[in-house]
Amino acid sequence: RDTAACICYAADHLSKKGHGDEVMAIIYADHLIQKPENFKEALTFIEQHIKETNALGVIGVRAKSPNPNLGYIRLGKVLNEEGPHEIYELKNFVEKPTKEVAKTFLDSYRYLWNTGLYVWKVSTILEKFKEHAKEVYKAIVEDGIYEKAPKISIDYALMEKIAPQMVHVI
C-alpha cells in the first residue's frame, strides 16, 4: 500500500501500545549507511530536537552529484547551529529535477538529497494523517482495515501538504 499506509499503521500500533509520546524513525532497509556511528549520532540529535519542538524531522544528505533521479530538500532558515549538526527549517521539497536544475542545486549549497528518513512523535504524525490524509487515517486507525488504505507515498500524502515551518531538516 506504499509508505503512507505502513507508516500510519506503525504509528497507530505504537500509539495503542501506549507509546504516543515517543519518537519514531522511518528507516528503509535498502539505504546504504556508510558511517553508522554518524547516522546514530544524527538520529539521537534529531530525536532530542523533536521532543523539544514537536516538529516533523527529515534527514537529508549533501548531494555529491547532480542526480535527476532523486528528490531534493530546499533548506530554509537555520534553527540550530549548536551541537554536532545544524537543523534547518524546510523551505520546500523538489521532486526529481532535470540534471541541469540538479546541477544548480548542487552549486547553491541550499539543497540536500531527500533520503525519506523521517523522525517524529507518534502522536504528531497521527494528527497529521487525520488532518491531511483522511482516507489513510480512516482505513488504518478508525476502520482497522489496512487493505482499504489508498496506495500513496508518505511524501504525497503528508509531507508535501504540511506547513514547511513544521518540518525540520538535519
Side-chain angles (χ1 to χ4, degrees):
R1 311 287 336 135
D2 215 324
T3 53
C6 69
I7 290 168
C8 187
Y9 179 86
D12 185 49
H13 178 77
L14 290 169
S15 180
K16 288 177 179 168
K17 294 286 186 183
H19 302 291
D21 289 331
E22 296 296 326
V23 175
M24 68 184 283
I26 307 306
I27 303 171
Y28 300 98
D30 64 350
H31 284 175
L32 174 64
I33 308 294
Q34 292 181 322
K35 297 180 181 179
E37 288 305 313
N38 291 2
F39 182 63
K40 182 179 175 184
E41 180 183 86
L43 281 174
T44 302
F45 191 75
I46 193 92
E47 175 191 24
Q48 189 58 44
H49 178 78
I50 297 303
K51 284 180 180 177
E52 294 169 4
T53 64
N54 206 32
L56 303 174
V58 60
I59 298 172
V61 172
R62 291 263 177 232
K64 296 182 182 1
S65 63
N67 192 328
N69 299 315
L70 299 174
Y72 287 75
I73 298 167
R74 183 174 176 199
L75 300 174
K77 68 180 180 180
V78 177
L79 299 173
N80 181 348
E81 293 180 282
E82 297 178 23
H85 303 278
E86 293 175 342
I87 297 180
Y88 296 85
E89 192 173 88
L90 172 75
K91 184 78 171 178
N92 64 290
F93 291 105
V94 180
E95 268 305 309
K96 300 176 182 163
T98 65
K99 189 163 186 156
E100 294 75 29
V101 171
K103 173 84 170 91
T104 66
F105 290 176
L106 186 67
D107 294 341
S108 77
Y109 296 101
R110 296 299 304 163
Y111 292 83
L112 302 175
W113 282 334
N114 183 2
T115 62
L117 300 173
Y118 294 111
V119 183
W120 42 53
K121 281 186 185 174
V122 170
S123 58
T124 303
I125 198 63
L126 286 173
E127 288 170 18
K128 298 304 177 189
F129 271 107
K130 189 174 184 178
E131 182 180 346
H132 297 289
K134 293 175 176 70
E135 300 87 17
V136 175
Y137 184 86
K138 182 177 182 336
I140 302 294
V141 179
E142 294 176 2
D143 298 341
I145 304 173
Y146 186 85
E147 295 79 11
K148 282 180 59 178
K151 187 175 181 178
I152 187 169
S153 73
I154 191 69
D155 296 313
Y156 290 130
L158 281 182
M159 298 309 293
E160 293 181 2
K161 296 177 181 175
I162 293 172
Q165 64 271 17
M166 283 296 303
V167 182
H168 296 177
V169 183
I170 184 171

